[in-house]
Amino acid sequence: MNFVTPGNDEAAILYRGAYEDTYVIKDESCFKCGIACHKNIYDRPEGETAEGRRAKKGNFRAKFDYEPLALLSSNIGIYDHEQSLDIVELADRLCYDAISLGVTLGYAMEWNERHPDKQILGGLRFGEFEKAMALIRETAAGNCPQLGQGSMRLAMEMGDLSFAMQGKGLEYPAYLPDTNPGYPWALGGGHMTMRTFLLLILDGQKTDIDYWEKAVLNGIYYTRDDLIGTCKFAGVPDGNVVDSMNDMYGLSLTAEDMNTAIRRSYLRGRLLEKKVGYTNEEYDVPGRVYERTNENIKMPSFITREFMDELKVRVEKGWDELTEKEGISLPA
Ligand code: SF4
């Protein structure tokens, strides 16, 4: 809860298979996409035994994606089908960003656990579904600015940022900072604009600083899809992107041209961050990562304060040099 993995199988109740007896799940997609990553969930009509596309559907209940489900259910102590459907759907209908909402609720719940004498948001605790629903409604109505300000400002108000799961004011997606020293350099969403969030698992559990310096400096190329407007989930190879751009627009673009455009966009974005006032201290992971209290993480524990300080020096130096080499600056 609040990014502390409990190390048990309680969340198995939230796996797809656990819903299918009671609900019909349809894989839905954006226009022409064969991946169909959205899971729309419907009540199961009486007597309907088919699954997926073949099943008749009852009332629409909610649209599940990874983050809305993870951050608005298990992350805040909710392990119940009906409650998970209701809270995800309520957040959608009220136009919340599910990541920001779930992370901010998680912070408030942990704060209340830690500070029984200084409760906030009506003493909201992990698993308190009805209270969370009421707060979500009140916040949407403009009556609860304490929750509405998001995790960073709430944590600053309370005087403890160490367990606020955010970077530079933007809440983390549902990937642990304990495994991702690249989070601070994401320009936008931590899992969408810096491709370091699964490397520890996918790339051989490497923990040396040379590896992570390169990983962060190369992680920015993940923003290619943001620049051209394709979905990252498809993992389109660079060659296909270049060929498509050339075919569609009559260009003679090379992969290097494309990477240069991505790099220059990132470097400008980074300068913009500095210009609008992000401080050196904000390029960091939450203090709790350094306390290494999350014993249920089975990945190597390697993010120390010294490691991050050294990584920051190297990464910032790398980008300073590139910025100068490419002659990039922002208007005063
Ligand atoms: S994979 Fe991307 S394009 Fe396809 S349905 Fe999901 S979000 Fe839409």
Side-chain angles (χ1 to χ4, degrees):
M1 288 180 267
N2 194 29
F3 289 67
V4 177
T5 45
N8 58 34
D9 60 2
E10 280 181 11
I13 190 79
L14 301 168
Y15 292 177
R16 177 177 181 144
Y19 283 83
E20 280 178 321
D21 280 349
T22 322
Y23 308 95
V24 167
I25 302 175
K26 301 269 186 191
D27 302 336
E28 308 280 357
S29 71
C30 303
F31 182 61
K32 296 282 189 195
C33 175
I35 296 176
C37 73
H38 318 158
K39 308 303 166 203
N40 283 357
I41 304 183
Y42 303 85
D43 285 331
R44 179 171 285 281
E46 210 174 320
E48 177 58 70
T49 55
E51 304 287 355
R53 285 188 187 283
R54 286 172 289 115
K56 292 192 192 70
K57 57 194 186 190
N59 292 329
F60 174 79
R61 297 299 307 278
K63 168 179 162 285
F64 276 0
D65 300 282
Y66 172 53
E67 257 85 20
L69 175 61
L71 294 174
L72 287 171
S73 60
S74 55
N75 187 58
I76 56 172
I78 289 174
Y79 297 93
D80 178 275
H81 290 165
E82 281 291 299
Q83 292 180 356
S84 64
L85 290 162
D86 286 349
I87 197 166
V88 169
E89 177 61 359
L90 180 68
D92 261 357
R93 282 185 180 271
L94 294 177
C95 300
Y96 279 95
D97 176 84
I99 294 177
S100 294
L101 177 62
V103 170
T104 308
L105 285 169
Y107 178 86
M109 290 168 171
E110 183 165 345
W111 172 272
N112 286 336
E113 284 216 335
R114 290 176 175 226
H115 300 278
D117 300 332
K118 197 176 175 189
Q119 299 284 282
I120 56 173
L121 298 174
L124 179 71
R125 294 299 183 98
F126 287 112
E128 289 192 332
F129 168 75
E130 294 295 348
K131 232 182 218 178
M133 293 286 277
L135 280 165
I136 291 169
R137 288 193 184 94
E138 281 299 292
T139 305
N143 299 327
C144 185
Q146 193 172 38
L147 177 62
Q149 66 189 325
S151 64
M152 184 187 79
R153 290 187 179 84
L154 178 58
M156 288 169 72
E157 179 190 330
M158 304 319 297
D160 191 348
L161 278 153
S162 69
F163 56 98
M165 295 294 121
Q166 55 81 37
K168 295 177 290 184
L170 186 61
E171 285 75 13
Y172 284 158
Y175 298 92
L176 302 175
D178 314 65
T179 61
N180 180 14
Y183 261 147
W185 291 284
L187 271 191
H191 61 328
M192 290 284 113
T193 61
M194 175 51 67
R195 193 184 177 277
T196 49
F197 59 101
L198 283 175
L199 285 184
L200 192 63
I201 294 171
L202 298 179
D203 200 21
Q205 302 188 16
K206 300 193 178 80
T207 58
D208 63 280
I209 190 113
D210 293 338
Y211 170 83
W212 282 101
E213 178 190 354
K214 282 199 195 87
V216 173
L217 292 171
N218 288 323
I220 61 172
Y221 294 98
Y222 206 37
T223 56
R224 178 201 71 184
D225 298 329
D226 303 293
L227 296 182
I228 59 176
T230 55
C231 176
K232 286 181 165 67
F233 292 174
V236 183
D238 277 352
N240 293 28
V241 172
V242 171
D243 289 349
S244 302
M245 299 279 279
N246 288 339
D247 283 351
M248 285 171 69
Y249 301 110
L251 301 172
S252 51
L253 193 73
T254 65
E256 183 45 37
D257 293 334
M258 184 177 72
N259 285 340
T260 300
I262 297 166
R263 189 167 59 249
R264 290 175 67 86
S265 300
Y266 180 86
L267 293 172
R268 282 204 176 85
R270 173 177 171 264
L271 288 185
L272 202 53
E273 283 191 344
K274 314 267 182 200
K275 185 174 176 182
V276 299
Y278 287 112
T279 62
N280 189 42
E281 292 71 39
E282 286 175 280
Y283 292 81
D284 202 354
V285 291
R288 186 166 65 196
V289 171
Y290 303 121
E291 296 163 17
R292 300 162 176 233
T293 49
N294 202 342
E295 289 173 0
N296 294 314
I297 298 175
K298 301 305 179 199
M299 292 288 109
S301 171
F302 66 102
I303 305 180
T304 62
R305 171 61 71 192
E306 295 71 32
F307 180 94
M308 279 304 284
D309 286 348
E310 173 70 14
L311 186 62
K312 194 189 295 191
V313 168
R314 290 182 179 212
V315 166
E316 292 290 313
K317 181 167 175 280
W319 277 326
D320 282 345
E321 286 171 1
L322 270 177
T323 303
E324 194 178 332
K325 187 173 153 205
E326 305 234 2
I328 291 173
S329 61
L330 290 180

